[in-house]
Amino acid sequence: SQELEQSPQSLIVQEGKNLTINCTSSKTLYGLYWYKQKYGEGLIFLMMLQKGGEEKSHEKITAKLDEKKQQSSLHITASQPSHAGIYLCGADIPPGTYKYIFGTGTRLKVLA
Amino acid sequence: DTGVSQNPRHKITKRGQNVTFRCDPISEHNRLYWYRQTLGQGPEFLTYFQNEAQLEKSRLLSDRFSAERPKGSFSTLEIQRTEQGDSAMYLCAIIVYTDTQYFGPGTRLTVL
């Protein structure tokens, strides 16, 4: 089974709409990373969260790690076609092993 | 630009042939990772290096796979006697300053 579950698996939204992507772990997260990937390309780092309750924002993208540190959400406000791509969460599980695992990704399409 | 280049970007080979991929980070770092990503999945950890030392290998890395990092800078990943199941995107990533990974654009391998 997947140690990091992402939902939804895919998402199609109209431009200008808000959306949320979730990443859930069965274990406590000590570092949670969000990446964006365009088809056929490498991953682009978006944000890293380490503390429970931590929230970070970059442009119109906000990510939060919940207090229990087992779930993270990525929220996009007023989506644009440039937001389209695959969003992946990743974590160092178990912590300190330097072996990173990733969720299966959420495919986002934004209709103009 | 993530500071990581990978070559070649695409490789098509016949089953049974050997292939070698190269990862060239341009910035200072100490840890370098290799991942494999198949369609619709997140990256899967293969191996990582701390400077020249290969510290961890996934059981996904069969004896047909070998990775090297001779001088603690660039790295190579070789696959011997390729099989169709080896078709995937091979991603290289480095850790710079923090625990954030920066990925290269990947090498897409197609085994016919």
Side-chain angles (χ1 to χ4, degrees):
Chain A
S1 65
Q2 199 72 20
E3 290 188 69
L4 285 180
E5 296 277 354
Q6 284 188 239
S7 63
Q9 289 186 327
S10 64
L11 198 52
I12 301 175
V13 299
Q14 201 69 40
E15 182 178 3
K17 296 294 186 184
N18 302 337
L19 63 105
T20 299
I21 298 168
N22 294 303
C23 176
T24 302
S25 172
S26 57
K27 302 175 183 176
T28 299
L29 298 167
Y30 292 94
L32 191 285
Y33 305 83
W34 282 101
Y35 291 87
K36 180 184 175 184
Q37 185 178 32
K38 297 252 181 188
Y39 178 73
E41 298 180 11
L43 280 66
I44 304 298
F45 170 75
L46 294 175
M47 277 172 275
M48 177 177 73
L49 304 164
Q50 289 185 301
K51 301 175 185 176
E54 185 174 17
E55 184 173 310
K56 287 186 177 178
S57 294
H58 176 68
E59 297 180 342
K60 293 185 178 179
I61 301 176
T62 300
K64 184 174 181 179
L65 184 60
D66 79 355
E67 294 287 346
K68 295 182 181 179
K69 298 202 296 181
Q70 286 193 267
Q71 185 176 52
S72 178
S73 59
L74 185 85
H75 184 77
I76 298 177
T77 303
S79 58
Q80 300 169 352
S82 60
H83 288 127
I86 302 168
Y87 289 83
L88 292 142
C89 62
D92 176 10
I93 295 178
T97 62
Y98 302 126
K99 286 171 61 177
Y100 295 85
I101 63 169
F102 290 84
T104 54
T106 295
R107 285 144 193 81
L108 171 64
K109 187 172 183 178
V110 180
L111 302 175
Chain B
D1 184 5
T2 62
V4 183
S5 63
Q6 289 188 247
N7 289 288
R9 293 293 310 276
H10 304 275
K11 179 72 178 178
I12 299 173
T13 191
K14 292 183 179 178
R15 189 175 53 186
Q17 297 294 305
N18 299 343
V19 293
T20 299
F21 311 139
R22 180 172 168 128
C23 173
D24 280 276
I26 62 171
S27 55
E28 289 188 12
H29 61 286
N30 56 9
R31 272 185 274 146
L32 184 147
Y33 291 75
W34 283 100
Y35 292 88
R36 182 174 70 184
Q37 186 178 27
T38 54
L39 199 62
Q41 300 296 315
E44 295 174 291
F45 169 84
L46 291 178
T47 188
Y48 91 93
F49 292 84
Q50 174 94 18
N51 300 316
E52 302 91 353
Q54 187 173 18
L55 296 186
E56 189 80 33
K57 290 172 63 173
S58 164
R59 57 179 179 274
L60 292 174
L61 216 64
S62 75
D63 57 5
R64 297 185 297 105
F65 288 70
S66 62
E68 293 184 346
R69 195 181 178 199
K71 296 183 179 180
S73 55
F74 74 92
S75 177
T76 58
L77 178 69
E78 181 183 14
I79 308 174
Q80 295 182 327
R81 306 181 302 282
T82 52
E83 301 172 357
Q84 287 185 323
D86 296 332
S87 295
M89 174 79 91
Y90 290 84
L91 295 160
C92 172
I94 60 171
I95 301 281
V96 181
Y97 305 128
T98 66
D99 286 332
T100 303
Q101 292 186 82
Y102 292 91
F103 284 80
T107 294
R108 180 165 295 282
L109 173 67
T110 302
V111 181
L112 302 176

